[in-house]
Amino acid sequence: DTAVSQTPKYLVTQMGNDKSIKCEQNLGHDTMYWYKQDSKKFLKIMFSYNNKELIINETVPNRFSPKSPDKAHLNLHINSLELGDSAVYFCASSQDWPPGVGDEQYFGPGTRLTVT
Amino acid sequence: AQTVTQSQPEMSVQEAETVTLSCTYDTSESDYYLFWYKQPPSRQMILVIRQEAYKQQNATENRFSVNFQKAAKSFSLKISDSQLGDAAMYFCAYRNAGGTSYGKLTFGQGTILTVHP
């Protein structure tokens, strides 16, 4: 069974569209994250949720809105897509908040978003 | 804010030999964790090794070991007996053990490792 799964794995869309990426973890973890990896492979955190509550919110355009319907799911909705949103988006999860040393973040396989 | 720097964009090694990847970081915190992640072409991020800042002993995981120099804020990864499957992009990452950035992983720019047969 996949620990952290994301759908879709690839997403090609046009500028101005609205799209969502879904993430699910079956590890029983309390905390989930969204990271963005740009074209230069630089990885940066966007958001983190713990038990459906937002705990980390980096400087991200408000076109990006995370939603956590329950602690096993964290979805990312993006409005009015722009060319610069093209990237790989990774979901991750970890057991606790605050995380301890052994509290590894498990990453999903990533979603490659291409905006044309 | 914490920063992580990997000064080697690319490294290469012959199969069965040893290679060291460099990482430096900047922080004013005294308690934190450091990690090395591997990202093969499949894109999956895999944790290779972790180090607690309060531990003087360097972490080891099979063929992977670190050289943690807290005063110098240096955290290098040594891969011994390199294998073809080690070829990947390697990311150094930092996480505070407390404070306002609790839980947030800060990554370096990555180092692409090529393993030659």
Side-chain angles (χ1 to χ4, degrees), chain B residues 71-92:
Chain B
K73 295 181 182 170
S74 168
F75 182 61
S76 60
L77 174 70
K78 185 169 89 170
I79 306 174
S80 304
D81 185 25
S82 297
Q83 300 175 0
L84 294 177
D86 295 333
M89 188 145 201
Y90 286 80
F91 290 94
C92 179

Side-chain angles (χ1 to χ4, degrees), chain B residues 20-104:
Chain B
T20 299
L21 308 184
S22 301
C23 173
T24 58
Y25 58 94
D26 188 29
T27 183
S28 56
E29 303 288 335
S30 59
D31 198 11
Y32 49 86
Y33 310 120
L34 295 163
F35 306 86
W36 279 98
Y37 279 86
K38 170 184 177 181
Q39 187 178 40
S42 66
R43 285 205 314 247
Q44 185 70 51
M45 293 288 289
I46 302 162
L47 179 65
V48 174
I49 198 164
R50 80 188 98 210
Q51 173 81 42
E52 297 103 279
Y54 64 84
K55 285 190 176 177
Q56 291 188 345
Q57 187 173 4
N58 289 323
T60 61
E61 287 285 343
N62 301 315
R63 298 182 295 107
F64 298 88
S65 61
V66 299
N67 183 3
F68 173 48
Q69 302 287 329
K70 190 171 184 180
K73 295 181 182 170
S74 168
F75 182 61
S76 60
L77 174 70
K78 185 169 89 170
I79 306 174
S80 304
D81 185 25
S82 297
Q83 300 175 0
L84 294 177
D86 295 333
M89 188 145 201
Y90 286 80
F91 290 94
C92 179
Y94 168 101
R95 173 159 67 84
N96 273 342
T100 56
S101 301
Y102 217 168
K104 182 177 90 168

Side-chain angles (χ1 to χ4, degrees), chain B residues 5-20:
Chain B
T5 302
Q6 292 177 248
S7 58
Q8 304 156 317
E10 296 183 35
M11 291 285 284
S12 65
V13 64
Q14 290 293 129
E15 202 175 0
E17 299 201 339
T18 296
V19 65
T20 299

